């Protein structure tokens, strides 16, 4: 369980790009992190909880929140970074 001074961030889209950078940056500042994306590899860092699933699915959101509270006991901030890339012409 997290100590009172140990803040916890939930970061969606945390598997790559900006999201992965945010996970690393928050960890670098001493935060505990719940990282989520459709495909997430398990973290070796015990202060990072990874949860895979589509954040558009309410069941995934429930797993993220319950997992964060079970593992760390609190949530201090949410960074909603999840996005979808659709490859198509700009005019479409």
């Amino acid at each position: 369980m997290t100590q009172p001074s140990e803040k916890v961030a939930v970061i969606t889209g945390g598997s790559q790009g900006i999201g992965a950078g945010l996970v690393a940056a928050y960890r670098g500042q001493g935060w505990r992190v719940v990282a989520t994306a459709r495909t997430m590899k398990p973290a070796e860092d015990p202060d990072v909880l990874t949860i895979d699933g589509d954040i558009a699915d309410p069941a995934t959101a429930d797993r993220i929140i319950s997992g964060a509270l079970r593992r760390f006991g609190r949530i201090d901030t949410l960074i909603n970074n999840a996005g979808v890339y659709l490859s198509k012409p700009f005019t479409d």
Side-chain angles (χ1 to χ4, degrees), residues 13-81:
S15 65
Q16 60 185 359
I18 293 169
L22 287 167
V23 170
Y26 271 80
R27 282 299 299 129
Q29 294 295 315
W31 287 59
R32 280 39 179 177
V33 175
V34 180
T36 182
R38 283 197 249 167
T39 55
M40 287 292 306
K41 295 179 184 175
E44 294 180 19
D45 183 343
D47 289 324
V48 175
L49 172 63
T50 58
I51 299 176
D52 61 343
D54 185 347
I55 192 62
D57 180 357
T60 299
D62 289 342
R63 287 189 305 115
I64 293 165
I65 300 307
S66 64
L69 294 175
R70 186 172 43 255
R71 176 87 162 261
F72 301 123
R74 64 192 275 177
I75 298 170
D76 295 287
T77 193
L78 164 68
I79 294 99
N80 189 12
N81 175 67

